[in-house]
Amino acid sequence: MITKSYCETFRPQFHYSSAANWLNDPNGMVWYEGEYHLFYQHHPHSSVWGPMHWGHAVSKDLVFWEELPIALRPDHNGAIFSGSAVVDRHDTTGFFNGGSGLVAIFTHHDVNPESGGPRQRQSLAYSTDKGRTWTMYEGNPVLEDERHIDYRDPKVFWDGERERWAMVLAAGQRVLFYHSPDLIHWSFGSEFGASEGSHDGVWECPDLFKLPVEESGGESKWVLIVSIGPNEALAEGSRTQYFIGEYDGISFVNDNAPDTVLWLDHGRDNYAGVSWSDVPAQDGRRLFIGWMNNWKYANLLPTEAWRGAMTLPRELGLADSEDGIRLRQLPVKELETLREPKLRMEDLAVQAGDGNLLQGIHGSTLEIEAEIKIADSSSFGFRIHGSGGQGTVIGYDAGRSYLSIDRRNAGITDFHPDFSCEHGVALKPSGGIIKLRIFADHSSVEVFANDGSVVLTDQVFPDPAHQEVELYVQEGSIEIISLHIYTLKSIW
């Protein structure tokens, strides 16, 4: 285990960040023999992006993490870009002498000696000791296609219905589907996305999985997640979209109109997220984590010894809505072990001008659970990390049916012109009620609204001395059905 102080300014206290230096995309998430593995893009020699390695951490509960030594390092085939990991239970590769073990499938990135341009190919590594050490496959790379320059981020899973491996891979602004009997020999199936969804930037970090639709009587749908690189013309920067549809082992068919764009997160800082493989069937959850950052300013964040963190682990589900079947996200239940109750309030009417009911509540690591009944003219919200007019505002405007995060006065914002902003998403009340679950860490805020139907994730860099919390009603009135505030213990 690598010891860490985790006392630096802005260091997250209940989100994963590496002990030092650069971190970006989560990679190779897999559950194996009682451990959740989190690999990630890592530059061990600098706090800005550079030659990519796979960093590595493990957890037994998705809350407390142990950082392990670097898993994969650049070799003669190139740097180690994003990918996935699976449990080869039936030794389809032949790596495990009839037993089982972990196989990582990732992108090797180097320079093409013929063209002098970048080259991306898919390779394998395997581990016989629960991911502690890794052996590169001698036959690397196992998949290449010179037609594509951007050809990366393989997500692989066992297709039990067809008893073979399936892969979804990003290529330019579309995704490609492959299948294999042994993770070594791959056959092309189809491509998707040339005229569907958002094409604001290069497509990256795809994922594909099947989920039941809640309260549907047994219906299930396939979910295809695709991250999109930044576009200099757009303030949003890098984002993640998803598609709902059907997959038959060869092709994915989108249920929605081609021009429909479904965003996974409506904040500015949730990118490249993918789900864990091989979570036990008795658990039954689809677990997801993202890189809590944005390529617009990722190399410029006001931290020094470390740079980059992960979102909270989340459980994904599907629910029917008036707009169709949509993804929902909820923080994993294991996070409740960090709670220390601070305030409980119920059945209280509040009007504009009543003052701050939360005066005296302070903290920089908080969870706020609120169930609030609103009038048509209500405008209310929470200000966290506050003091003297400073703070991050999570606000709801009933007149516009709009939930927003305003980080313009949240602290340090001048490292990039697009960081200081207010942004949000349309959100209709359910039965006149808005539900909010807010997590505030030293340098982030995550908002889960209406049982996870809408999520906003943002980084913020407040003065550590600013720890006041405010509930405000700017217009009209609200009724607090319930309001619970917890401080959250550090995981370090």
Side-chain angles (χ1 to χ4, degrees):
M1 180 176 180
I2 301 173
T3 59
K4 334 173 180 60
S5 65
Y6 276 69
C7 295
E8 302 98 333
T9 300
F10 307 132
R11 172 71 83 163
Q13 295 300 295
F14 56 89
H15 293 79
Y16 181 78
S17 59
S18 59
N21 297 314
W22 173 268
L23 167 154
N24 64 291
D25 305 359
N27 299 153
M29 280 101 71
V30 62
W31 186 94
Y32 186 57
E33 294 190 1
E35 293 180 318
Y36 296 95
H37 290 261
L38 169 62
F39 301 91
Y40 49 90
Q41 294 284 275
H42 182 50
H43 184 3
H45 308 302
S46 173
S47 60
V48 297
W49 190 92
M52 286 291 97
H53 301 55
W54 269 25
H56 189 195
V58 293
S59 174
K60 295 185 181 300
D61 60 5
L62 296 167
V63 178
F64 295 93
W65 294 92
E66 176 186 357
E67 184 169 339
L68 298 177
I70 290 169
L72 301 179
R73 299 175 181 273
D75 65 1
H76 64 281
N77 282 315
I80 313 297
F81 273 23
S82 294
S84 52
V86 295
V87 181
D88 186 7
R89 300 189 185 281
H90 308 294
D91 195 20
T92 63
T93 55
F95 295 158
F96 305 108
N97 296 316
S100 66
L102 294 175
V103 180
I105 309 96
F106 59 90
T107 298
H108 257 129
H109 175 87
D110 68 349
V111 174
N112 189 321
E114 295 182 2
S115 69
R119 179 174 62 176
Q120 297 179 352
R121 304 176 293 173
Q122 317 319 312
S123 293
L124 304 179
Y126 60 95
S127 172
T128 60
D129 58 0
K130 297 180 63 175
R132 269 54 182 182
T133 60
W134 292 83
T135 301
M136 289 287 188
Y137 173 51
E138 291 182 356
N140 284 336
V142 298
L143 181 61
E144 53 188 317
D145 189 332
E146 294 182 356
R147 295 174 300 173
H148 304 288
I149 295 175
D150 295 306
Y151 185 68
R152 58 179 176 264
D153 310 339
K155 182 62 188 288
V156 170
F157 63 93
W158 178 252
D159 183 349
E161 184 176 347
R162 298 160 191 90
E163 295 190 341
R164 66 189 187 190
W165 298 102
M167 176 195 290
V168 56
L169 181 75
Q173 291 197 2
R174 64 198 68 187
V175 293
L176 309 179
F177 299 92
Y178 296 87
H179 53 272
S180 168
D182 57 9
L183 296 172
I184 298 169
H185 304 93
W186 292 93
S187 299
F188 176 73
S190 66
E191 69 172 49
F192 169 82
S195 60
E196 311 212 31
S198 171
H199 288 266
D200 288 337
V202 65
W203 285 20
E204 298 185 308
C205 303
D207 196 358
L208 179 67
F209 48 84
K210 194 174 187 179
L211 283 177
V213 181
E214 297 170 3
E215 300 180 357
S216 68
E219 182 183 17
S220 294
K221 288 290 182 180
W222 286 86
V223 180
L224 174 64
I225 292 177
V226 181
S227 290
I228 304 173
N231 184 327
E232 287 302 318
L234 301 174
E236 290 85 356
S238 47
R239 295 183 282 178
T240 300
Q241 66 179 330
Y242 70 94
F243 303 89
I244 304 291
E246 300 294 340
Y247 172 70
D248 63 3
I250 298 292
S251 303
F252 177 86
V253 178
N254 184 12
D255 281 356
N256 293 286
D259 60 352
T260 300
V261 179
L262 304 177
W263 296 116
L264 182 99
D265 196 304
H266 298 273
R268 291 290 170 85
D269 294 308
N270 183 357
Y271 189 66
V274 287
S275 63
W276 265 274
S277 171
D278 292 274
V279 174
Q282 59 267 31
D283 183 303
R285 294 181 294 175
R286 176 59 57 171
L287 301 169
F288 170 94
I289 200 168
W291 177 42
M292 191 160 55
N293 216 330
N294 193 310
W295 279 119
K296 276 275 187 177
Y297 40 71
N299 285 286
L300 305 174
L301 301 183
T303 61
E304 295 180 3
W306 60 280
R307 189 171 276 123
M310 297 299 175
T311 69
L312 291 177
R314 304 169 181 190
E315 179 182 356
L316 301 183
L318 290 177
D320 210 351
S321 73
E322 62 182 35
D323 298 318
I325 296 172
R326 296 293 184 264
L327 200 63
R328 67 148 181 84
Q329 305 168 67
L330 290 172
V332 295
K333 60 183 184 295
E334 289 88 339
L335 291 163
E336 295 178 11
T337 61
L338 301 178
R339 287 175 167 177
E340 294 181 342
K342 200 172 186 72
L343 176 87
R344 183 184 182 97
M345 187 179 293
E346 296 179 345
D347 300 325
L348 182 65
V350 186
Q351 298 184 21
D354 278 356
N356 180 20
L357 295 176
L358 306 182
Q359 191 169 1
I361 301 294
H362 297 77
S364 58
T365 56
L366 298 170
E367 180 186 353
I368 301 172
E369 279 191 307
E371 189 171 352
I372 294 176
K373 189 172 185 179
I374 61 174
D376 291 342
S377 60
S378 299
S379 178
F380 72 95
F382 294 90
R383 179 179 286 106
I384 58 175
H385 297 145
S387 179
Q390 299 296 304
T392 302
V393 177
I394 299 99
Y396 184 74
D397 185 336
R400 295 191 296 154
S401 297
Y402 190 73
L403 176 68
S404 64
I405 291 180
D406 185 347
R407 62 184 184 187
R408 290 174 293 183
N409 295 307
I412 299 175
T413 63
D414 60 358
F415 52 88
H416 192 278
D418 289 329
F419 187 84
S420 178
C421 60
E422 179 186 14
H423 51 273
V425 60
L427 178 68
K428 294 181 180 179
S430 177
I433 293 172
I434 293 292
K435 294 181 181 179
L436 297 176
R437 193 169 174 194
I438 301 167
F439 289 82
D441 205 340
H442 284 182
S443 54
S444 66
V445 57
E446 289 170 89
V447 181
F448 301 83
N450 286 4
D451 299 315
S453 63
V454 163
V455 181
L456 297 94
T457 303
D458 271 37
Q459 295 180 99
V460 290
F461 299 96
D463 185 327
H466 294 177
Q467 297 193 16
E468 294 179 6
V469 183
E470 178 186 359
L471 167 64
Y472 69 87
V473 179
Q474 189 170 326
E475 297 178 11
S477 63
I478 62 172
E479 178 185 344
I480 298 174
I481 298 173
S482 65
L483 174 61
H484 298 168
I485 299 180
Y486 309 90
T487 55
L488 298 179
K489 295 176 289 187
S490 173
I491 64 174
W492 308 113

